[in-house]
């Protein structure tokens, strides 16, 4: 919290008083609220058509399901949405990472947010750990026509160049490929992010924010 207050001072962000106490200029209560949470898969700004004279409530907490606008999820969190009246009818690029210094508009801070997430991820891994941790081979599943009775080796380490199948690259790790035999001939979505709980099939784990912001070929 002290680091956050220092950040506000350094950015010369004005504060005001509300029923929540001291809040910064986008509605964060300085006495109790930590910085906003970057919403899953929505770091990038949202091109939005706004109408002249219409009042909008821009989400400041980062948890709304209707980005970039408020849906009431902030209740009880200490955050309050930013009310903003559009001066003109036009398309605006509105911030979704919630770290902009010019709310509700994007100021490209999302690049720093994503970069910081990646930096912390790289710095927290060791070479030894990587032998037991799969790499994110892709951020989308692979659509494959599988044949009944045929045995396949699904890459579990994420290092294969023949995704989603094994090419032997796991030999430098402690991870083994998964052998499976389809009961029917049919197309299936196979996981490439290597985070699925239903291997070898996709279970939508690739939609998690950690996967979507990951660099392919690195671990989470």
């Amino acid at each position: 919290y002290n680091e956050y207050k220092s950040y506000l001072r350094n950015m010369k962000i004005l504060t005001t008083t509300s029923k929540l106490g001291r809040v910064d200029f986008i509605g964060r209560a300085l006495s109790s609220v930590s910085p906003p949470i970057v919403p899953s898969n929505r770091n990038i700004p949202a091109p939005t058509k706004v109408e002249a004279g219409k009042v909008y409530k821009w989400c400041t907490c980062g948890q709304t399901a209707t980005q970039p606008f408020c849906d009431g999820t902030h209740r009880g969190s200490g955050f309050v949405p930013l009310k903003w009246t559009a001066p003109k009818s036009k398309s605006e690029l509105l911030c979704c990472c919630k770290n902009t210094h010019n709310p509700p508009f994007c100021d490209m801070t999302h690049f720093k947010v994503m970069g910081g997430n990646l930096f912390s991820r790289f710095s927290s891994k060791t070479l030894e750990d990587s032998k037991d941790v799969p790499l994110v081979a892709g951020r989308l599943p692979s659509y494959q026509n599988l044949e009944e009775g045929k045995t396949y080796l699904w890459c579990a380490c994420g290092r294969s160049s023949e995704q989603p199948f094994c090419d032997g690259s796991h030999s430098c790790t402690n991870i083994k490929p998964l052998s499976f035999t389809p009961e029917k001939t049919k197309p299936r979505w196979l996981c490439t992010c290597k985070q699925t709980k239903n291997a070898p099939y996709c279970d939508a784990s690739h939609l998690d924010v950690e996967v979507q912001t990951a660099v392919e070929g690195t671990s989470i």
Side-chain angles (χ1 to χ4, degrees), residues 155 159-167:
C155 168
R159 292 161 174 79
S160 173
S161 60
E162 298 178 1
Q163 291 295 331
F165 302 115
C166 174
D167 69 354

Side-chain angles (χ1 to χ4, degrees), residues 1 4-5 7-9 11-18 21-31:
Y1 171 66
Y4 182 47
K5 288 197 298 184
Y7 158 76
L8 294 175
R9 284 197 297 271
M11 295 307 299
K12 297 181 180 180
I13 293 177
L14 300 176
T15 64
T16 186
T17 301
S18 75
R22 298 291 287 179
V23 299
D24 70 15
F25 74 153
I26 61 172
R28 304 174 192 140
L30 299 183
S31 60

Side-chain angles (χ1 to χ4, degrees), residues 52-181:
K54 184 175 180 178
V55 178
Y56 296 88
K57 290 184 178 181
W58 177 71
C59 167
T60 62
C61 72
Q63 298 304 293
T64 180
T66 56
Q67 288 289 353
F69 301 117
C70 174
D71 67 356
T73 305
H74 66 278
R75 292 189 183 94
S77 69
F79 285 90
V80 291
L82 173 70
K83 289 186 178 181
W84 170 69
T85 303
K88 296 181 179 180
S89 294
K90 59 183 297 188
S91 290
E92 296 282 9
L93 197 60
L94 302 185
C95 170
C96 284
C97 76
K98 310 308 172 187
N99 285 271
T100 180
H101 300 142
N102 184 34
F105 309 106
C106 172
D107 66 355
M108 300 303 164
T109 302
H110 58 281
F111 287 115
K112 294 181 181 179
V113 172
M114 295 175 70
N117 288 342
L118 293 175
F119 176 77
S120 64
R121 186 176 300 134
F122 288 136
S123 62
S124 66
K125 303 297 179 184
T126 65
L127 185 60
E128 188 64 30
D129 288 339
S130 66
K131 294 182 180 180
D132 298 302
V133 179
L135 304 183
V136 176
R139 286 175 287 182
L140 291 174
S142 176
Y143 194 66
Q144 297 289 328
N145 288 308
L146 303 179
E147 299 178 19
E148 177 184 353
K150 182 177 180 179
T151 299
Y152 298 86
L153 285 179
W154 175 74
C155 168
C157 71
R159 292 161 174 79
S160 173
S161 60
E162 298 178 1
Q163 291 295 331
F165 302 115
C166 174
D167 69 354
S169 297
H170 63 276
S171 59
C172 63
T173 74
N174 298 323
I175 304 173
K176 303 300 181 183
L178 174 68
S179 175
F180 72 102
T181 304

Side-chain angles (χ1 to χ4, degrees), residues 188-203:
R188 296 294 300 268
W189 288 101
L190 300 187
C191 172
T192 65
C193 72
K194 311 308 172 185
Q195 306 302 308
T196 181
K197 303 299 187 299
N198 186 35
Y201 306 110
C202 172
D203 67 354

